[in-house]
Each structure stands twice: as C-alpha cells, then as structure tokens.
Amino acid sequence: MGELETVRGLNQERGLIKIGDTRWGSHYKSFENFISSFASIVDVLDTLVVNASTLEERANASEFLRSCQTFETVFLLYLMTDVLGITYDLNVSLQKKEQDIANAMILVKLEELDDRFNEVTSDFINRVACLNSIDSFSSFDIKRIMRMVELYPDDFDEFKIRDLENQLANYIIDVRDTDKRFSNLSGLGELSRKLIETTKHLTYYLVFLLVKFALLLSVVTATLERTFSAMKFIKNDLRDRIDNEFLDGCIVPYVEKKMVCKEGKEG
C-alpha cells in the first residue's frame, strides 16, 4: 500500500505473524497487529476484490472482506486483545531464561490455579516455593520443606533429615535476620550464587542441596518449544524413518546453533 518502507528486517514486529499452538504470546501480537493495521488490511482486500487475477482469489478476498467488516469480528478482536493482554506480561516473565520455579509460583499464584494441577503437583511445587528468597524469605516454611525431602529418599536418609531440620532452623535466622547480604535477592538463582560467595553453602550443605534440586525444575519453555519445532523440521515426511540417535545428532546442533558455531571457531 506504500505505507511502510519494504526493506529487509523492517516492520517485523507489525507483521501478521503466524500464531503458534504453544506460544500464546504470538496470539496476542497477532491480534494487536491486526487491529493496528485494520484499515490497511481492508483496503488491500478491497483492492483484491476489484483487481484479483482469478475468480478464486476474488471470492476469497470478498469473503475475508465481508468477515472483517462484521461487528462480531471487530468485537472479538478487541475482546481477545484485552484477555490475552492480561496474561502477556506473565507469559513474558515465564519465558525468561533466568526464571526459576519458585519465582514462577509467585507469578502465577498457584493457590488460585489449583484446578489446573493435580493435588500432588500443587503440593510439591508449593513445597519448592518455600525455599524462595523473595520478600526476605516470606514464603519460608520448615514443615513444608521437610515434606519436600520425602521425594528424595536416595539423597536424604534419616540422619540427614534430622541434620537438615537443624540446618534449616539456623539457616533462616542467619540469612533472614542476621546477614544483610541476603536481603533483596531476586530468586533461587541469586540465592545459590550468594550462598557460594559467602561460603554458606558449606555450612548449610543440605539446604544448598535442596536449592540445587529446586533449580533443576526449570520453568522455561522457549527451548523446549524450539526443540519440538526443530523436530518437526528435521523429521519430516521424507525423513520419517531416521532413528533416535541420528535425530538427536541433528536436533542438538540445530537448536544450539550459537554454541556449535562458537566451538567450531575455537576448534
């Protein structure tokens, strides 16, 4: 339409991007971009109705134009933009690579979403959240943390369980009430680094072990989504019979392109 400069790399944020089944942020951007470009879209469709090269193109453009101009379509555009806008900030936060499970629980307020999880999952994640350092360890709860230990019988025998309970009692007084270096920490990742910097990971080694277990419960979905996308790209109809070992060998360098390129240059 001559309204945007068509140079490579420009206007990508305003494009009508293809929405994904798992990445809900793409839905929000698509609705938002559709609204901002609505007038231009209608003009383009109107032009296609008049100047389409085939009857099929003209019929499709006419149908799209008629749909765009209905009250129902406009109403749903604004409704879905408002609804998805509420969860968009949460979605962005959960996609951060530095996000951990404890911070995620504060973001989504699991207590209000219990119907989305079974009882075992909800209880376990709530136990993990008790280790969080946000708001001066306001979620800290020794009883819940001790229940979390029940899930790691190979790492905590009866003697270590007893030692852990004593460590937790001393640990919370130390990091919350005594050592100001542990105030205003942003999450489990920063807590683990601070424990190592202050060598408290040696004093409270069992507590530190629990923190490491909690950090292994990653909530980042972006890498997982990229992996599934890569799998669909690599194992297509023409390469449907490749074995798992060969598939792994293709997916890893495809997903971790930066790391592979870096190692290649160093080599």
Side-chain angles (χ1 to χ4, degrees):
M1 298 295 294
E3 297 180 10
L4 297 176
E5 184 180 354
T6 55
V7 179
R8 183 178 180 180
L10 291 181
N11 310 313
Q12 292 182 352
E13 292 298 319
R14 295 185 61 184
L16 298 178
I17 60 176
K18 182 180 179 180
I19 59 176
D21 293 333
T22 57
R23 305 195 69 173
W24 285 92
S26 64
H27 293 66
Y28 173 69
K29 289 183 178 179
S30 291
F31 281 117
E32 194 176 48
N33 292 348
F34 196 99
I35 291 174
S36 64
S37 304
F38 187 81
S40 297
I41 292 172
V42 170
D43 288 341
V44 169
L45 291 174
D46 189 50
T47 301
L48 286 174
V49 170
V50 177
N51 301 319
S53 57
T54 66
L55 291 176
E56 183 180 3
E57 287 183 359
R58 181 172 299 171
N60 289 336
S62 180
E63 180 62 28
F64 286 135
L65 180 61
R66 185 164 48 251
S67 298
C68 284
Q69 294 177 316
T70 63
F71 170 81
E72 181 181 8
T73 297
V74 176
F75 174 78
L76 288 175
L77 277 173
Y78 279 95
L79 175 63
M80 292 306 299
T81 302
D82 288 343
V83 171
L84 294 175
I86 296 172
T87 59
Y88 181 70
D89 290 338
L90 172 62
N91 176 65
V92 172
S93 297
L94 293 179
Q95 292 282 348
K96 291 180 179 178
K97 291 184 178 181
E98 68 272 16
Q99 192 61 267
D100 59 60
I101 191 70
N103 282 350
M105 296 321 303
I106 292 177
L107 288 170
V108 301
K109 295 181 179 179
L110 182 63
E111 290 78 7
E112 299 177 8
L113 297 174
D114 281 340
D115 58 324
R116 303 295 182 91
F117 302 89
N118 60 45
E119 184 178 352
V120 175
T121 302
S122 299
D123 187 40
F124 172 66
I125 299 179
N126 272 310
R127 299 177 201 176
V128 174
C130 291
L131 291 167
N132 204 352
S133 57
I134 288 182
D135 295 332
S136 299
F137 300 88
S138 60
S139 300
F140 188 84
D141 188 319
I142 290 182
K143 290 183 179 180
R144 280 191 173 185
I145 294 173
M146 293 305 299
R147 290 178 62 192
M148 172 184 172
V149 175
E150 297 171 2
L151 301 172
Y152 300 99
D154 295 336
D155 298 280
F156 292 92
D157 55 28
E158 58 178 315
F159 301 105
K160 286 186 177 180
I161 290 176
R162 192 181 306 117
D163 290 341
L164 173 63
E165 191 167 10
N166 293 329
Q167 280 191 24
L168 285 169
N170 295 325
Y171 160 81
I172 192 59
I173 294 174
D174 187 357
V175 298
R176 183 181 62 191
D177 304 327
T178 305
D179 197 333
K180 300 303 180 184
R181 292 175 295 182
F182 285 83
S183 59
N184 301 319
L185 297 181
S186 61
L188 288 175
E190 194 170 344
L191 172 62
S192 66
R193 289 192 293 269
K194 188 63 66 175
L195 286 170
I196 294 174
E197 290 174 4
T198 58
T199 67
K200 292 184 188 293
H201 70 296
L202 301 176
T203 304
Y204 309 112
Y205 64 96
L206 293 175
V207 179
F208 185 65
L209 180 59
L210 281 181
V211 172
K212 290 194 292 185
F213 285 157
L215 286 171
L216 290 175
L217 300 171
S218 175
V219 297
V220 177
T221 60
T223 301
L224 183 61
E225 290 167 359
R226 287 196 297 269
T227 302
F228 277 109
S229 297
M231 188 180 298
K232 292 180 180 179
F233 177 78
I234 294 171
K235 194 171 183 178
N236 55 28
D237 292 339
L238 297 177
R239 293 189 291 267
D240 187 50
R241 295 186 179 182
I242 61 177
D243 58 30
N244 291 334
E245 185 177 355
F246 184 71
L247 180 63
D248 290 342
C250 294
I251 288 178
V252 172
Y254 184 87
V255 175
E256 303 294 346
K257 292 178 182 178
K258 292 183 179 179
M259 185 174 294
V260 172
C261 292
K262 181 179 178 181
E263 292 180 355
K265 292 179 180 178
E266 291 178 352

